Amino acid sequence: NLKRIKIAEGSQAILEGAFARIHSSYVIDIPDSVKSVGKFAFGENDIEKVTGDETEKGKPGVIVLGKNIEKYGDSVFSGCIKLTSISIPGHVKEVPNYMFAGCSNLKNIELEEGIKKLGVICFYGTKVEEVTIPASVTEVGGDLGGVGKWFENCTNLKRIKIAEGSQAILEGAFARIHSSYVIDIPDSVKSVGT
């Protein structure tokens, strides 16, 4: 029956696991003072949309990625099975490891120019069909299981577009995709990782 969560102005962080496993559609008020969001903070939650669009504030089931948040922990939104749409704004410099892993109904993924790093299996098991990788992405995350594998187990994937201006296809970025897909590689790409 939870309807609203208000984080007090002046709060610096949303702590690890703080709002995990909440199974209701609620409004969350995140003040501009928040600079970091901990690991699994919203994991296995009933949120439906993640965006940087400030006009979405105050809507139930929507998390707005505030412009002052500098760091997100691993798995921050993992396992959110009601999540269908995300738009990661360019002020988010790193999409951490497993950020949206296991979001099994996530179909719409928009990554804005400005993002520099995509973590290991950050979109594992989603239903994304088409995605554009911004030219600003120049780093790939890794863990003990390897690097990249951004779209591992994304069986609905049909097209990957690498933005014009991209210089390289990063190591392991597209490993373990088990679907037949098209990849658009611009002439600006000069190297392909292992």
Side-chain angles (χ1 to χ4, degrees):
N1 291 338
L2 183 64
K3 300 292 182 209
R4 184 171 221 117
I5 297 170
K6 294 181 181 181
I7 299 172
E9 186 61 52
S11 298
Q12 297 288 306
I14 296 174
L15 302 177
E16 181 175 332
F19 305 111
R21 299 186 177 123
I22 295 175
H23 299 292
S24 65
S25 186
Y26 61 93
V27 172
I28 185 162
D29 300 319
I30 302 173
D32 289 339
S33 59
V34 171
K35 305 282 188 251
S36 67
V37 179
K39 179 179 178 181
F40 202 65
F42 296 98
E44 297 177 15
N45 204 299
D46 280 356
I47 58 172
E48 298 164 19
K49 185 176 185 180
V50 174
T51 183
D53 184 354
E54 295 282 327
T55 65
E56 298 275 349
K57 279 187 175 180
K59 293 183 179 177
V62 176
I63 302 286
V64 176
L65 303 178
K67 61 187 177 298
N68 294 326
I69 299 175
E70 299 164 354
K71 175 138 180 68
Y72 291 87
D74 290 349
S75 308
V76 71
F77 297 106
S78 66
C80 293
I81 61 172
K82 290 189 176 183
L83 186 60
T84 60
S85 177
I86 63 167
S87 177
I88 308 294
H91 70 264
V92 175
K93 299 304 177 200
E94 178 181 348
V95 174
N97 297 341
Y98 327 107
M99 188 172 192
F100 297 99
C103 295
S104 56
N105 288 302
L106 178 55
K107 187 174 179 179
N108 300 309
I109 296 175
E110 180 186 343
L111 304 172
E112 292 183 7
E113 190 66 31
I115 299 167
K116 295 185 181 309
K117 181 178 181 179
L118 295 179
V120 70
I121 62 173
C122 52
F123 302 109
Y124 176 91
T126 65
K127 284 196 170 129
V128 63
E129 293 180 3
E130 185 174 307
V131 67
T132 299
I133 307 299
S136 57
V137 175
T138 57
E139 296 178 57
V140 61
D143 64 6
L144 296 177
V147 296
K149 303 177 279 186
W150 297 333
F151 301 99
E152 181 175 345
N153 203 31
C154 293
T155 56
N156 291 355
L157 192 59
K158 303 284 186 259
R159 176 172 239 118
I160 297 169
K161 295 178 183 178
I162 299 173
E164 185 60 50
S166 296
Q167 298 292 308
I169 296 176
L170 302 172
E171 180 181 0
F174 305 114
R176 297 188 184 166
I177 297 173
H178 301 291
S179 67
S180 181
Y181 64 95
V182 172
I183 186 164
D184 300 330
I185 302 172
D187 291 338
S188 59
V189 170
K190 306 292 186 230
S191 66
V192 178
T194 56

